[in-house]
Amino acid sequence: MDELNEVKSKLAMASSGLHKTLENAEGIEEVDNEALDNIETARDAARRALELIDGDE
């Protein structure tokens, strides 16, 4: 696997993992809205980075 594909793969895994984490965290009372927002922002940033990389190919 070349370096670009490795980066894309890791971004996709990060986005997927953060999505699942967000789903799980939403049902936990101790997780406040700011934390949920930060998880969502990180997920969206990983997705956007992947889109930008795909657009450059």
Side-chain angles (χ1 to χ4, degrees):
M1 179 181 292
D2 71 338
E3 290 181 13
L4 178 59
N5 283 336
E6 184 176 343
V7 168
K8 289 170 57 175
S9 175
K10 288 181 179 181
L11 283 169
M13 287 188 291
S15 176
S16 177
L18 287 163
H19 180 77
K20 186 64 176 172
T21 300
L22 182 59
E23 286 179 343
N24 292 339
E26 286 175 333
I28 301 172
E29 283 184 34
E30 293 82 8
V31 179
D32 66 16
N33 288 337
E34 184 177 1
L36 292 173
D37 289 345
N38 286 337
I39 296 167
E40 187 173 15
T41 298
R43 180 202 61 196
D44 293 345
R47 285 181 180 170
R48 182 67 182 134
L50 188 54
E51 290 171 357
L52 289 170
I53 291 170
D54 282 340
D56 286 345
E57 290 185 274

